[in-house]
Coordinates of all heavy atoms in Angstrom, one line a residue:
M291 N 18.8 -12.1 1.2 CA 17.4 -12.1 1.1 C 16.7 -11.0 1.9 O 15.5 -10.9 2.0 CB 16.9 -13.5 1.7 CG 17.2 -14.7 0.8 SD 16.1 -14.8 -0.6 CE 14.8 -15.7 0.2
T292 N 17.5 -10.1 2.5 CA 16.9 -9.0 3.2 C 16.0 -8.1 2.4 O 15.1 -7.5 2.8 CB 18.0 -8.1 3.9 OG1 18.9 -7.7 2.9 CG2 18.7 -8.9 5.0
F293 N 16.3 -8.1 1.1 CA 15.4 -7.2 0.2 C 14.1 -7.9 0.1 O 13.1 -7.1 0.0 CB 16.1 -7.0 -1.2 CG 16.0 -8.2 -2.1 CD1 14.9 -8.2 -3.1 CD2 16.9 -9.2 -2.2 CE1 14.8 -9.2 -4.0 CE2 16.8 -10.2 -3.1 CZ 15.7 -10.2 -4.0
V294 N 14.0 -9.2 0.0 CA 12.7 -9.8 -0.1 C 11.9 -9.7 1.3 O 10.7 -9.4 1.3 CB 12.8 -11.3 -0.4 CG1 11.4 -12.0 -0.5 CG2 13.5 -11.5 -1.7
A295 N 12.7 -9.8 2.4 CA 12.0 -9.6 3.7 C 11.5 -8.2 3.9 O 10.4 -8.0 4.4 CB 13.1 -9.9 4.8
A296 N 12.3 -7.2 3.5 CA 11.8 -5.8 3.6 C 10.6 -5.6 2.8 O 9.6 -5.0 3.2 CB 13.0 -4.9 3.2
F297 N 10.6 -6.1 1.6 CA 9.4 -6.0 0.7 C 8.2 -6.7 1.3 O 7.1 -6.1 1.4 CB 9.7 -6.6 -0.7 CG 8.5 -6.8 -1.6 CD1 8.0 -5.7 -2.3 CD2 7.9 -8.0 -1.7 CE1 6.9 -5.9 -3.1 CE2 6.8 -8.2 -2.5 CZ 6.3 -7.1 -3.2
G298 N 8.4 -7.9 1.7 CA 7.2 -8.7 2.1 C 6.6 -8.2 3.4 O 5.4 -8.1 3.5
I299 N 7.4 -7.8 4.4 CA 6.9 -7.4 5.6 C 6.2 -6.0 5.4 O 5.1 -5.8 6.0 CB 8.0 -7.2 6.7 CG1 8.5 -8.7 7.1 CG2 7.5 -6.5 8.0 CD1 9.7 -8.7 7.9
T300 N 6.8 -5.1 4.7 CA 6.2 -3.8 4.4 C 4.9 -4.0 3.6 O 3.8 -3.3 4.0 CB 7.1 -2.9 3.7 OG1 8.4 -2.8 4.4 CG2 6.6 -1.5 3.5
K301 N 4.9 -4.8 2.6 CA 3.7 -5.0 1.8 C 2.6 -5.6 2.7 O 1.4 -5.2 2.6 CB 4.0 -5.9 0.6 CG 2.7 -6.1 -0.3 CD 3.0 -7.1 -1.4 CE 1.8 -7.3 -2.2 NZ 1.9 -8.4 -3.1
A302 N 2.9 -6.5 3.5 CA 1.9 -7.2 4.4 C 1.2 -6.2 5.3 O 0.0 -6.1 5.3 CB 2.6 -8.3 5.2
V303 N 2.0 -5.4 6.0 CA 1.4 -4.4 6.8 C 0.6 -3.3 6.0 O -0.5 -2.9 6.5 CB 2.5 -3.7 7.7 CG1 1.9 -2.5 8.5 CG2 3.1 -4.7 8.6
T304 N 1.1 -3.0 4.9 CA 0.3 -2.0 4.1 C -1.0 -2.5 3.5 O -2.0 -1.8 3.4 CB 1.2 -1.5 2.9 OG1 2.5 -1.1 3.4 CG2 0.6 -0.4 2.1
N305 N -1.0 -3.8 3.2 CA -2.3 -4.5 2.8 C -3.4 -4.2 3.9 O -4.5 -3.9 3.5 CB -2.1 -6.0 2.6 CG -1.3 -6.3 1.4 OD1 -1.3 -5.6 0.4 ND2 -0.7 -7.5 1.4
L306 N -3.0 -4.4 5.1 CA -3.9 -4.3 6.2 C -4.4 -2.8 6.3 O -5.6 -2.6 6.4 CB -3.3 -4.7 7.5 CG -4.1 -4.8 8.8 CD1 -5.2 -5.9 8.6 CD2 -3.3 -5.0 10.0
V307 N -3.5 -1.9 6.2 CA -3.9 -0.5 6.2 C -4.7 -0.1 5.0 O -5.7 0.6 5.1 CB -2.6 0.4 6.3 CG1 -2.9 1.9 6.2 CG2 -1.8 0.1 7.6
A308 N -4.3 -0.7 3.8 CA -5.1 -0.3 2.6 C -6.5 -0.8 2.7 O -7.4 -0.1 2.2 CB -4.4 -1.0 1.4
G309 N -6.8 -2.0 3.2 CA -8.1 -2.4 3.4 C -9.0 -1.5 4.3 O -10.1 -1.2 3.9
A310 N -8.4 -1.2 5.4 CA -9.1 -0.3 6.3 C -9.4 1.1 5.7 O -10.5 1.6 5.8 CB -8.4 -0.1 7.6
L311 N -8.4 1.6 5.0 CA -8.5 3.0 4.4 C -9.5 2.9 3.2 O -10.3 3.8 3.0 CB -7.2 3.4 3.9 CG -6.1 3.8 4.9 CD1 -4.8 4.2 4.2 CD2 -6.6 5.0 5.8
S312 N -9.5 1.8 2.5 CA -10.5 1.7 1.4 C -11.9 1.6 1.8 O -12.8 2.2 1.2 CB -10.1 0.4 0.6 OG -8.9 0.5 -0.1
D313 N -12.2 0.9 3.0 CA -13.5 0.9 3.5 C -13.9 2.3 4.0 O -15.1 2.6 4.0 CB -13.6 -0.2 4.6 CG -13.8 -1.6 4.1 OD1 -14.3 -1.7 2.9 OD2 -13.5 -2.5 4.8
R314 N -13.0 3.0 4.5 CA -13.3 4.3 5.2 C -13.4 5.4 4.2 O -14.3 6.3 4.2 CB -12.3 4.6 6.3 CG -12.6 6.0 7.0 CD -11.8 6.1 8.2 NE -12.2 5.2 9.3 CZ -11.8 5.3 10.5 NH1 -10.9 6.2 10.9 NH2 -12.2 4.4 11.4
Y315 N -12.4 5.6 3.3 CA -12.2 6.7 2.5 C -12.5 6.5 1.0 O -12.6 7.4 0.2 CB -10.8 7.3 2.6 CG -10.5 7.8 4.0 CD1 -9.6 7.1 4.8 CD2 -11.2 8.9 4.6 CE1 -9.3 7.5 6.1 CE2 -10.9 9.2 5.9 CZ -10.0 8.6 6.7 OH -9.7 8.9 8.0
G316 N -12.6 5.2 0.6 CA -12.7 4.9 -0.8 C -11.5 4.3 -1.4 O -10.4 4.4 -0.9
R317 N -11.7 3.6 -2.6 CA -10.6 2.8 -3.2 C -9.6 3.7 -4.0 O -8.4 3.6 -3.9 CB -11.1 1.8 -4.1 CG -12.2 0.8 -3.7 CD -12.7 0.6 -2.4 NE -13.7 -0.4 -2.3 CZ -14.3 -0.8 -1.2 NH1 -14.0 -0.2 -0.1 NH2 -15.2 -1.7 -1.2
R318 N -10.1 4.7 -4.7 CA -9.3 5.4 -5.7 C -8.2 6.2 -5.0 O -7.1 6.3 -5.5 CB -10.2 6.3 -6.5 CG -9.5 7.1 -7.6 CD -10.5 7.9 -8.5 NE -9.9 8.7 -9.4 CZ -9.5 10.0 -9.2 NH1 -9.8 10.5 -8.0 NH2 -8.9 10.7 -10.1
P319 N -8.5 7.0 -3.9 CA -7.4 7.7 -3.3 C -6.3 6.8 -2.8 O -5.1 7.2 -2.9 CB -8.1 8.4 -2.1 CG -9.5 8.4 -2.4 CD -9.8 7.2 -3.2
V320 N -6.6 5.6 -2.3 CA -5.5 4.7 -1.9 C -4.7 4.2 -3.1 O -3.5 4.1 -3.0 CB -6.2 3.5 -1.2 CG1 -5.1 2.5 -0.7 CG2 -7.0 4.0 0.0
L321 N -5.4 4.0 -4.2 CA -4.6 3.6 -5.4 C -3.7 4.6 -5.9 O -2.5 4.4 -6.2 CB -5.7 3.3 -6.5 CG -5.1 2.9 -7.9 CD1 -4.3 1.6 -7.8 CD2 -6.3 2.8 -8.9
I322 N -4.1 5.9 -5.9 CA -3.2 7.0 -6.4 C -2.1 7.2 -5.4 O -0.9 7.4 -5.8 CB -4.1 8.3 -6.5 CG1 -5.1 8.1 -7.7 CG2 -3.1 9.5 -6.8 CD1 -6.1 9.3 -7.8
A323 N -2.3 7.1 -4.1 CA -1.3 7.2 -3.1 C -0.2 6.2 -3.3 O 1.0 6.4 -3.2 CB -1.8 7.2 -1.7
G324 N -0.6 4.9 -3.7 CA 0.3 3.8 -3.9 C 1.2 4.1 -5.0 O 2.5 3.8 -5.0
W325 N 0.7 4.7 -6.1 CA 1.6 5.0 -7.3 C 2.6 6.1 -6.9 O 3.7 6.1 -7.4 CB 0.7 5.4 -8.5 CG 0.2 4.2 -9.2 CD1 -1.1 3.9 -9.4 CD2 1.0 3.2 -9.8 NE1 -1.2 2.7 -10.1 CE2 0.0 2.2 -10.4 CE3 2.3 2.9 -10.0 CZ2 0.4 1.1 -11.0 CZ3 2.7 1.8 -10.6 CH2 1.8 0.9 -11.2
L326 N 2.2 7.1 -6.1 CA 3.1 8.2 -5.8 C 4.3 7.6 -5.0 O 5.4 8.0 -5.1 CB 2.3 9.2 -4.9 CG 1.3 10.1 -5.7 CD1 0.5 11.0 -4.8 CD2 2.1 11.0 -6.7
V327 N 4.0 6.7 -4.1 CA 5.0 6.0 -3.3 C 6.0 5.2 -4.2 O 7.2 5.1 -3.9 CB 4.4 5.2 -2.2 CG1 5.5 4.4 -1.4 CG2 3.7 6.0 -1.2
G328 N 5.4 4.6 -5.2 CA 6.2 3.7 -6.1 C 7.2 4.5 -7.0 O 8.1 3.8 -7.5
L329 N 6.9 5.7 -7.3 CA 7.8 6.4 -8.3 C 9.3 6.4 -8.0 O 10.1 6.2 -8.9 CB 7.3 7.9 -8.4 CG 6.2 8.2 -9.4 CD1 5.8 9.6 -9.3 CD2 6.6 7.8 -10.8
P330 N 9.7 6.6 -6.7 CA 11.2 6.6 -6.5 C 11.9 5.3 -6.6 O 13.1 5.2 -6.6 CB 11.3 7.2 -5.1 CG 9.9 7.7 -4.7 CD 9.0 7.0 -5.5

């Protein structure tokens, strides 16, 4: 279950960062950055 734990903890922290970044810099740049990270 370590793969679920790694996913969940990372996603949780990133949600927090995404919300703050979206309020400060806008939604669209955060969305595009997320897809770039997901490609590999």
Side-chain angles (χ1 to χ4, degrees):
M291 290 281 278
T292 52
F293 80 92
V294 180
F297 167 81
I299 293 170
T300 305
K301 183 186 177 191
V303 174
T304 307
N305 286 333
L306 189 64
V307 175
L311 292 176
S312 293
D313 276 338
R314 176 169 293 189
Y315 300 111
R317 310 351 181 176
R318 183 173 176 272
V320 178
L321 177 63
I322 293 171
W325 280 118
L326 290 171
V327 174
L329 273 177

